[in-house]
Amino acid sequence: MAEPRGLPRGLAAFLIALVGLGISIYLTIEHYDAKLTLACPESKTINCAKVTTSKWSHLGPIPVALLGLIFFVAMAALCSPPAWRAEALDRVRVVGAAVGTVSVVYLVYIELFRVDAICLWCTGVHVCTLALLAAVLWQTTPANPEAG
């Protein structure tokens, strides 16, 4: 599927992955350096520190922030303009973005019903993940489904 005005295929997905990567880098650095501030209000509902230090902020010994960083590094590589030339990676991109989205649904559930607080930085990552899935699906869907 060609992009309008000669833009590289998958450019939107690549840019979204880079934004998600940037936020994930910040969250990972903040996780390992408590002196950094999350620049997030600490109210009853919005409280980044409560979310990022909760018992659910790790998957075993691995911080969720680091898992997000790894996810976005992989997706940025898979969604880079040169990678879009390999149609064989289309399924890998879709599966990767879908796994990210399932993870987001779980993490939002944890924020809302277990931690009882929302992290604005995490929400940024969640929005990027959902937008990435939409962009990847948009780019991998044939322009004319009847053409096969």
Side-chain angles (χ1 to χ4, degrees), residues 25-38 52:
I25 289 170
Y26 175 75
L27 284 168
T28 302
I29 291 171
E30 189 282 329
H31 174 82
Y32 288 107
D33 184 359
K35 291 180 257 178
L36 277 177
T37 177
L38 287 171
T52 60

Side-chain angles (χ1 to χ4, degrees), residues 141-148:
T141 304
N144 183 359
E146 295 172 6

Side-chain angles (χ1 to χ4, degrees), residues 12-14 16-17 71-72 75 79 97 127-137:
F14 181 61
I16 293 165
F71 169 77
F72 280 111
M75 290 306 294
C79 294
V127 168
C128 287
T129 304
L130 295 172
L132 183 59
L133 176 64
V136 166
L137 289 175

Side-chain angles (χ1 to χ4, degrees), residues 80-148:
S80 67
W84 279 97
R85 293 185 201 123
E87 287 188 25
L89 293 177
D90 283 355
R91 186 167 296 200
V92 176
R93 279 186 279 272
V94 170
V95 169
V99 167
T101 300
V102 169
S103 300
V104 161
V105 170
Y106 170 75
L107 292 170
V108 169
Y109 169 81
I110 293 299
E111 282 184 294
L112 293 174
F113 300 107
R114 296 292 182 239
V115 179
D116 198 31
I118 296 288
C119 170
L120 295 179
W121 290 102
C122 301
T123 300
V125 168
H126 301 161
V127 168
C128 287
T129 304
L130 295 172
L132 183 59
L133 176 64
V136 166
L137 289 175
W138 176 62
Q139 284 297 281
T140 56
T141 304
N144 183 359
E146 295 172 6

Side-chain angles (χ1 to χ4, degrees), residues 30-54:
E30 189 282 329
H31 174 82
Y32 288 107
D33 184 359
K35 291 180 257 178
L36 277 177
T37 177
L38 287 171
C40 180
E42 289 189 21
S43 68
K44 182 175 190 254
T45 305
I46 299 173
N47 189 330
C48 294
K50 184 176 179 183
V51 172
T52 60
T53 60
S54 75

